[in-house]
Amino acid sequence: MNNRTVIYPARIVRTMDPSRPVATAFAVRDGLIRAVGTVEELSVYPHAVIDERYAEAVIVPGFVEAHAHAGSGGMWDGQVYVGYFDRTDPDGNHWPGCTSTGAILERLREAESALEDPLEPLRAWGMDNIYFPESSILVRELDTVSGARPIQVNHANGHVAVVNSAVLRMAGIDASTVTKGVEKYADGTPNGELREFAAMGLVHELFGGGLLSLSPRTLRNFAQDAVNQGVTTITDLGSMGLLTEEGRATYTDTVDEDFPVRLNVFQFGMGLGTGSLPEATAQALAAVKQLGHSKLRFGNVKLMLDGSIQGFTARLLAPGYLGDQPNGIWNTTPEEFEAAFAAFHRAGLLIHVHCNGDQASDLFLDTLESVLTKYPRPDHRHTMTHSQLTTQAQYRRAAALGACANIFSNHLWYWGDQHADRILGWDRASRMNATRSALNAGVPISLHCDTPVTELSPLKTMKHAITRLTPSGRILGELERLDVEEALHAVTLGAAYMLKMDGEVGSIEAGKRADVAILDQDPYETAPEEIGTIRVLGTMLGGRHQNAKSGALASAD
């Protein structure tokens, strides 16, 4: 134990502690916050020394990202980014967005020409045909890149992929294929679009596994991306391998005392049926929960109900989609969902459930009520994640049942114009991601990015929830906007609460872990539309300094 107390003066410290929301310094000892206040107040502690490195910076609690995917750290290795919006990779490199189908095909051709093996698969990610309704990229367009090399282009939402004719041949997908989600041209031949997991699973093995592969390098890239954005606690929401020692090895071998972020890993709990498997899985995962440590946490579960709104695979209540498209796809049947939910709930585990459409929110709430009636459990904090079309009545019901909502406000920017004009219509789109309604109903909220679906950046996520601006400059639901205090709470203490970590992280107060984000500007003093441009200089994790790749802090301790 180190008896030294280090005092860090700052331009301002925003603590998110209502007992002392603002300070000008914070003190750290043995990886924990010892106190906040002024330098004079903190200097009375024994063995106190002053470190001026943050004297001109703004300090806020380390951001907590409660819905992300660690596999995003590996998507920059061997895959091609073809998304509509600019992105920055974990090494700080800028990738311009592809704002036309021509630009996407050109980038794919450049990547294809660089591959020496003529049969090596080409994978790309980030595309969405919703931006290009008159010139969508399907099998015929991908065949202009190559008709012989297997090509798969994943949509940004992760629920839709497009493949070329080589993949269709290799996977045996043709006009006779009846798997739901295999889309076809008017003549009945497959058009290359595969919607949701049953259809995408038909080509899974041709590309060596799923979109979000995991490795030590992947985890380190993921962690560096987090540091670059001021994130100190982050989830991997949906791992497939936690129930075996081999499956956990990548996490346990990589997340050591030098790992620069706290990682909370959720087991993906789909496909368990209605027999004895859900109960056996729940008991096994409850045992795994004991294997974590201060930087690595196991024992939480992700379940998935519907799909993607912009992919037209989310499940919607009436009046449905703007163009009266068919309703979306259930990724889990109601019977399988209740069996899994009940088993994990009874085992004392925390459950986050993918609910994009309001019909999915209904099923979540029906199931939660049924399970709680049979197996009461205080302070469960089960969460609707995305919660994009959750209605006023559903939020009132969620509050009564003790549920949380992790809301996907980034959609207001990335797909807001499309939701208003082509997918849902202005009225329904303006009610999306209803953060104000959730708070008014008494539902605890957080905000998330779901990287790689959208960019990992809590500051940009705050901006989207505060402004609700679309790229065309419209405000999509002005009465649902948050203020700065509420948005900052959502990406710090709010997210920590729904991970059941709010006693450790999410605010800067005595006894909590010394996890902070170091910014060059104060979000409270920045124009709302500019909050996303605030520069992150780095983080502190447990009292140790971590440099952002684009930041300018002193070397890490």
Side-chain angles (χ1 to χ4, degrees):
M1 180 175 289
N2 182 357
N3 288 326
R4 189 178 70 159
T5 294
V6 183
I7 300 169
Y8 295 98
R11 192 191 327 167
I12 191 169
V13 181
R14 301 282 187 183
T15 70
M16 301 312 298
D17 173 10
S19 296
R20 192 161 196 177
V22 176
T24 55
F26 66 104
V28 176
R29 187 179 70 176
D30 294 325
L32 302 177
I33 300 293
R34 187 158 197 199
V36 297
T38 66
V39 170
E40 292 73 21
E41 291 170 342
L42 301 180
S43 295
V44 302
Y45 287 93
H47 312 292
V49 298
I50 296 175
D51 188 323
E52 296 276 0
R53 74 180 72 196
Y54 305 142
E56 300 303 319
V58 174
I59 304 297
V60 299
F63 298 124
V64 179
E65 174 54 69
H67 188 144
H69 298 280
S72 65
M75 295 179 68
W76 302 99
D77 295 333
Q79 298 191 47
V80 183
Y81 176 66
V82 291
Y84 190 86
F85 293 90
D86 294 4
R87 293 286 281 264
T88 301
D89 68 25
D91 289 326
N93 300 313
H94 178 73
W95 290 77
C98 295
T99 56
S100 68
T101 54
I104 293 172
L105 294 172
E106 180 181 357
R107 189 168 292 178
L108 290 174
R109 291 188 184 106
E110 290 175 358
E112 196 276 336
S113 66
L115 297 176
E116 296 182 1
D117 182 348
L119 297 181
E120 180 181 347
L122 173 63
R123 301 185 79 177
W125 64 282
M127 186 187 79
D128 198 327
N129 277 325
I130 198 71
Y131 297 122
F132 316 112
E134 306 302 323
S135 57
S136 295
I137 291 180
L138 298 170
V139 62
R140 294 167 185 166
E141 288 72 25
L142 289 186
D143 279 352
T144 67
V145 178
S146 175
R149 181 191 304 282
I151 301 176
Q152 180 185 55
V153 181
N154 288 284
H155 277 216
N157 57 47
H159 290 257
V160 181
V162 180
V163 299
N164 67 344
S165 60
V167 174
L168 295 177
R169 288 193 303 272
M170 293 177 183
I173 298 172
D174 56 27
S176 67
T177 301
V178 296
T179 302
K180 190 173 182 64
V182 175
E183 300 301 303
K184 297 178 180 180
Y185 290 117
D187 65 3
T189 59
N191 67 13
E193 189 170 84
L194 306 174
R195 298 187 177 188
E196 294 303 330
F197 295 99
M200 292 190 293
L202 298 175
V203 305
H204 184 85
E205 297 303 323
L206 297 178
F207 293 90
L211 176 67
L212 299 170
S213 60
L214 198 66
S215 70
R217 175 175 167 79
T218 294
L219 281 182
R220 286 191 286 269
N221 280 346
F222 185 58
Q224 185 59 56
D225 198 16
V227 172
N228 294 347
Q229 303 300 334
V231 176
T232 53
T233 296
I234 196 165
T235 60
D236 182 8
L237 201 76
S239 172
M240 300 293 288
L242 297 188
L243 299 181
T244 67
E245 185 175 353
E246 180 181 7
R248 295 188 298 273
T250 301
Y251 297 105
T252 55
D253 293 349
T254 307
V255 182
D256 56 18
E257 63 179 12
D258 293 322
F259 200 69
V261 68
R262 302 189 197 282
L263 181 61
N264 197 319
V265 187
F266 282 62
Q267 172 72 22
F268 200 41
M270 281 179 58
L272 300 177
T274 58
S276 60
L277 191 55
E279 188 67 32
T281 302
Q283 294 305 316
L285 190 58
V288 170
K289 187 175 182 178
Q290 312 306 316
L291 303 179
H293 52 75
S294 65
K295 287 189 178 180
L296 181 62
R297 183 163 299 195
F298 300 129
N300 300 326
V301 184
K302 178 191 179 179
L303 300 176
M304 180 175 288
L305 285 177
D306 63 342
S308 158
I309 298 173
Q310 72 273 21
F312 298 98
T313 59
R315 296 287 303 191
L316 272 58
L317 297 172
Y321 291 103
L322 176 62
D324 292 330
Q325 289 90 345
N327 208 350
I329 297 172
W330 289 117
N331 278 305
T332 307
T333 67
E335 296 77 17
E336 290 175 324
F337 177 64
E338 181 155 3
F341 196 100
F344 293 124
H345 171 85
R346 290 176 63 195
L349 304 178
L350 174 64
I351 309 169
H352 284 205
V353 182
H354 170 116
C355 303
N356 260 322
D358 47 2
Q359 191 176 35
S361 296
D362 244 14
L363 181 54
F364 167 85
L365 293 168
D366 287 346
T367 304
L368 177 59
E369 182 174 358
S370 173
V371 170
L372 285 175
T373 300
K374 298 173 186 174
Y375 314 110
R377 182 179 140 198
D379 198 27
H380 54 80
R381 304 192 201 180
H382 299 322
T383 295
M384 294 181 289
T385 190
H386 299 326
S387 196
Q388 291 211 71
L389 287 175
T390 306
T391 66
Q392 300 273 346
Q394 288 172 337
Y395 274 131
R396 291 190 290 269
R397 190 178 176 200
L401 293 169
C404 304
N406 193 358
I407 299 175
F408 204 177
S409 293
N410 286 13
H411 254 255
L412 301 166
W413 175 262
Y414 284 88
W415 290 280
D417 288 316
Q418 288 72 33
H419 286 313
D421 298 336
R422 301 193 59 234
I423 303 170
L424 297 169
W426 180 263
D427 177 60
R428 202 168 197 195
S430 66
R431 304 168 188 267
M432 291 184 72
N433 301 295
T435 50
R436 172 63 53 208
S437 293
L439 289 178
N440 287 347
V443 176
I445 71 166
S446 69
L447 307 172
H448 67 275
C449 72
D450 195 12
T451 190
V453 177
T454 69
E455 182 179 8
L456 174 60
S457 173
L459 287 165
K460 290 182 180 178
T461 298
M462 286 176 59
K463 173 254 186 182
H464 300 320
I466 294 166
T467 67
R468 294 183 68 93
L469 284 169
T470 73
S472 68
R474 294 181 287 182
I475 299 174
L476 195 59
E478 62 180 336
L479 297 182
E480 291 290 348
R481 291 180 294 188
L482 299 182
D483 62 31
V484 175
E485 177 86 7
E486 293 163 333
L488 183 58
H489 185 279
V491 298
T492 54
L493 200 54
Y497 177 84
M498 65 185 56
L499 294 175
K500 289 199 167 185
M501 297 181 69
D502 53 308
E504 303 175 52
V505 300
S507 61
I508 303 173
E509 55 182 299
K512 283 194 169 184
R513 301 192 186 279
D515 296 359
V516 307
I518 302 100
L519 312 179
D520 74 341
Q521 296 178 55
D522 184 358
Y524 289 71
E525 302 296 331
T526 302
E529 61 274 13
E530 298 299 325
I531 287 176
T533 67
I534 292 174
R535 186 182 179 202
V536 175
L537 302 175
T539 64
M540 173 186 285
L541 188 79
R544 298 183 64 179
H545 311 284
Q546 315 288 337
N547 287 340
K549 280 289 179 75
S550 58
L553 282 178
S555 298
D557 287 352

